[in-house]
Amino acid sequence: MKVTEIVSHVLQYDLPEELGYSQQFYARRSAHLVEVRTDEGLTGWGECFGPGNIALANKAIVETVIQPMVVGRDPVDRDVIWHDVYNRLRDHGQKGMPIQALSGVDIALWDIAGKIAGLPLCKLAGGQFRDRVSVYGYGMMLRREDAACLAARFKDESVAIKDAGFVATKMKVGLGPADDIRLAEAVRRGVGDDFRFMVDANHCYTTSEALEVGRALDELGAYWFEEPVAPEDHDGYRELRTRLKTRISGGEAEFTRWGWRHLLEGRCLDIAQPEVCALGGVSEYLKVLALAHTHFTPVVNHVWGSAVAVAANLHLLAAMPPLPGGLYPSEPMLEFDTTDNRFRDELLVEPLDIQGQVARTGGFASIPSSPGLGVEPDRDFIARYEVA
Ligand code: CA
């Protein structure tokens, strides 16, 4: 079998309302799907992390730079292809968009390998430790309104996420330490004392600001404090980890085993959050997972994007060994965005219906059982939303 063509599909639509996180507001949802076609009719699907115009640039990398390196190759040789592409891209980007682009291609190659073997991705990746994973719902995005309005909104939204059945919730911050602490207090009031909530700063703080917010989160019993400082600031991460009770998480903006090596060796994280659609795909994710476990750092995958990304992550969470193991080990969770996302809810011929599963089971999602990613995107849907 040979790869004949790689096609990127960038999908977009206008959100019903503008949403924000600490770095920007956005009014449009996008997704970047990658389709690898073969001479035997088998097709694999992957996804690249990166919204908006980033997705358009990544499409050019996928189709113009990577495609000529992969056409004619045996799709099952995914590690061979990965290293060949990476070695030739190395001089032009060891992190960021070239690796995001490679990620989508690699995920699609794993989808093909699963379809050839007749095995779901989790079995191909080493085996299925669990047949369902618990799901946490994130929401509580920033809006252009004052802190008091936003706090009231966050409180209501946290209650709604809890009532929807999710096992935990995650909020954004980014107004500045004093207002952010008010937001976190509102969420704790909303969910009550016994419910797990996490706080995501998207790297908007200096270390001293993060300490101020983190001390309040210690008092509120937050479960983790995500990307408190810039991803390059390993010293800041280390200092926060030493001085705060709340777990420090991060890593969604890190790439490949070589980037992750320094983050983990530096003991920067209590919880690692690798993003499979950015860090290099399934091939590289498995190496980063091994590296995280080598450093006894638990992993809760970062998840963003369409149903293709959600499916890939369901398989990877199913195939994740417990760390360190025991009768009642702490289990990984699936990250789930509760805000409007048609590319997750309506893309597939048979939708995953995570929200329905969560409501029915008290917070769990099952692992797709068909070969590969086990999902089939609807081509009519893609045609309707495709902008490039
Ligand atoms: Ca995040």
Side-chain angles (χ1 to χ4, degrees):
M1 190 181 295
K2 286 185 169 33
V3 173
T4 53
E5 194 180 7
I6 304 181
V7 182
S8 265
H9 305 274
V10 177
L11 315 182
Q12 285 184 347
Y13 74 92
D14 291 329
L15 285 166
E17 60 171 336
E18 187 186 56
L19 299 171
Y21 59 102
S22 69
Q23 303 299 325
Q24 63 180 329
F25 288 97
Y26 57 97
R28 197 170 278 178
R29 174 80 62 199
S30 38
H32 177 189
L33 306 181
V34 175
E35 183 185 1
V36 174
R37 296 176 182 162
T38 65
D39 60 354
E40 295 186 24
L42 263 186
T43 289
W45 291 92
E47 181 161 357
C48 303
F49 180 74
N53 294 336
I54 308 286
L56 298 176
N58 280 343
K59 174 185 167 77
I61 300 175
V62 168
E63 293 184 348
T64 313
V65 181
I66 297 177
Q67 176 175 227
M69 301 179 189
V70 181
V71 164
R73 313 285 291 264
D74 182 344
V76 173
D77 286 340
R78 47 216 185 276
D79 218 29
V80 182
I81 291 170
W82 194 97
H83 284 87
D84 192 33
V85 172
Y86 182 81
N87 290 344
R88 289 204 260 167
L89 290 179
R90 181 179 267 136
D91 294 18
H92 314 286
Q94 297 152 17
K95 296 177 188 249
M97 288 155 63
I99 308 302
Q100 292 172 346
L102 174 56
S103 299
V105 175
D106 179 82
I107 294 168
L109 294 176
W110 276 83
D111 190 28
I112 292 173
K115 287 169 176 168
I116 292 172
L119 293 171
L121 173 58
C122 59
K123 300 279 188 189
L124 206 61
Q128 191 166 354
F129 285 93
R130 47 193 73 79
D131 55 16
R132 62 179 198 168
V133 292
S134 62
V135 187
Y136 78 88
Y138 89 81
M140 294 170 278
M141 313 296 293
L142 303 185
R143 267 84 163 185
R144 293 183 204 266
E145 52 192 29
D146 66 38
C149 287
L150 204 55
R153 183 196 284 276
F154 274 26
K155 179 165 179 276
D156 292 345
E157 211 176 316
S158 67
V159 173
I161 291 170
K162 183 184 178 185
D163 289 348
F166 292 98
V167 300
T169 190
K170 188 167 81 184
M171 59 180 289
K172 295 294 188 190
V173 286
L175 304 181
D179 285 337
D180 290 341
I181 290 168
R182 265 175 234 135
L183 294 178
E185 288 167 348
V187 169
R188 175 50 92 201
R189 276 198 302 279
V191 297
D193 288 340
D194 298 327
F195 194 73
R196 198 180 265 191
F197 86 98
M198 293 81 82
V199 176
D200 188 357
N202 294 98
H203 48 75
C204 67
Y205 298 133
T206 62
T207 301
S208 61
E209 289 168 336
L211 271 174
E212 182 183 347
V213 174
R215 288 194 182 106
L217 298 183
D218 285 354
E219 293 301 310
L220 292 167
Y223 188 69
W224 77 54
F225 188 9
E226 179 168 327
E227 287 202 298
V229 293
E232 305 95 320
D233 184 9
H234 291 190
D235 293 333
Y237 266 98
R238 219 170 8 251
E239 189 174 341
L240 293 170
R241 240 197 116 196
T242 318
R243 296 176 66 179
L244 294 174
K245 275 194 304 188
T246 306
R247 296 161 187 82
I248 302 298
S249 72
E252 65 184 79
E254 194 50 87
F255 298 84
T256 76
R257 73 200 86 160
W258 300 288
W260 273 92
R261 173 190 168 189
H262 297 292
L263 203 52
L264 292 162
E265 283 182 352
R267 300 198 62 74
C268 299
L269 300 174
D270 291 294
I271 293 169
Q273 296 171 301
E275 167 53 70
V276 66
C277 299
L279 66 75
V282 173
S283 298
E284 198 62 9
Y285 169 91
L286 294 173
K287 295 174 177 74
V288 168
L289 176 69
L291 201 57
H293 282 194
T294 305
H295 291 85
F296 292 95
T297 305
V299 172
V300 179
N301 296 353
H302 178 264
V303 184
W304 180 92
S306 83
V308 171
V310 173
N313 276 286
L314 281 169
H315 286 286
L316 295 176
L317 292 169
M320 186 187 292
L323 178 82
L327 274 178
Y328 307 104
S330 71
E331 291 281 324
M333 295 185 285
L334 175 73
E335 174 170 14
F336 188 84
D337 175 2
T338 62
T339 64
D340 192 274
N341 188 343
R342 289 179 210 163
F343 301 144
R344 188 196 51 222
D345 297 344
E346 300 169 28
L347 170 70
L348 302 180
V349 174
E350 288 177 50
L352 296 168
D353 187 25
I354 302 289
Q355 297 97 316
Q357 292 192 56
V358 162
R360 286 191 297 276
T361 61
F364 292 87
S366 60
I367 313 303
S369 55
S370 302
L373 295 178
V375 294
E376 188 190 345
D378 177 345
R379 289 187 183 276
D380 292 337
F381 178 90
I382 290 174
R384 199 151 66 239
Y385 289 97
E386 190 157 11
V387 295

